[in-house]
Amino acid sequence: MSRILFLALLLFAVATAQAQTEKRIYTQSERESMSPNGQKERERRKQLEAMEDSLNFVRAVEAIEKLDFVLEANRLTFKRGQSVFVNSTTNFVALQDEHATVQVAPFYGGGGPNGVGGTTLDGRASNIILRTDKKGNVTLTMSVMGTGLSATVSISMAKGSNRASVTVNPNFHSNRVTLDGVLIPSSQSNMFKGRAF
């Protein structure tokens, strides 16, 4: 009997030794939230991001006032609300003094009238008006007249960030499009301009 009990204990010990183990592994953000310094680190990171956003806003406003900026868009929204993510190097609104370029290229792989998957309006900007509301939000409106196209362009940028939205209303049809992206000085842009009308 003691031999059977001994064998049963031995089998139980071997089975337990070969059993799988389970261990909870924590992500970096979980470890930070559990540590006393984690909350402070997150708050510090948020403060740095807010300061960076504020600095980007100041740079963007300076670029608008100098009439030397590019709004690089990473999302387009069409007239009926359809939205698509796009390449910011081929979707942009640029203004350098009185020379404006509005390029919308929602199709990847090239083609289209401009050779990069869409259309490009390249022309002269006029009626440029800059407004700042009581909350510090910035709006710039202008008319752009090219050789074959013209449009009314309205750029809106909320205070504290260089994230902006531009609505382009062509004057000869109602194919309004909205571009969302970041507004930066022209010197920081890496836009790729297609053939213009």
Side-chain angles (χ1 to χ4, degrees), residues 83-94:
S83 186
V84 62
F85 288 98
V86 293
N87 185 338
S88 63
T89 58
T90 57
N91 292 272
F92 59 86
V93 173

Side-chain angles (χ1 to χ4, degrees), residues 26-138:
Y26 297 96
T27 64
Q28 182 177 352
S29 61
E30 289 173 329
R31 286 191 305 262
E32 288 175 359
S33 68
M34 286 188 271
S35 75
N37 294 332
Q39 183 69 22
K40 291 178 185 177
E41 181 63 28
R42 277 195 309 282
E43 288 173 8
R44 189 180 67 79
R45 209 175 304 141
K46 283 183 183 179
Q47 287 175 343
L48 286 174
E49 288 173 6
M51 289 183 347
E52 186 176 344
D53 285 345
S54 183
L55 182 59
N56 287 337
F57 176 75
V58 169
R59 287 180 183 148
V61 170
E62 285 176 359
I64 289 171
E65 290 173 346
K66 290 178 182 178
L67 301 179
D68 189 24
F69 67 85
V70 176
L71 186 145
E72 294 183 344
N74 55 14
R75 188 178 74 177
L76 296 178
T77 305
F78 298 100
K79 177 181 170 181
R80 300 203 194 303
Q82 306 97 326
S83 186
V84 62
F85 288 98
V86 293
N87 185 338
S88 63
T89 58
T90 57
N91 292 272
F92 59 86
V93 173
L95 181 63
Q96 294 173 325
D97 194 29
E98 65 178 21
H99 182 255
T101 303
V102 178
Q103 181 167 288
V104 178
F107 308 109
Y108 293 102
N114 65 355
V116 292
T119 58
T120 303
L121 166 58
D122 202 25
R124 184 176 170 276
S126 61
N127 300 325
I128 303 169
I129 299 171
L130 177 63
R131 292 183 184 90
T132 304
D133 67 13
K134 292 178 183 178
K135 295 180 180 178
N137 302 321
V138 175

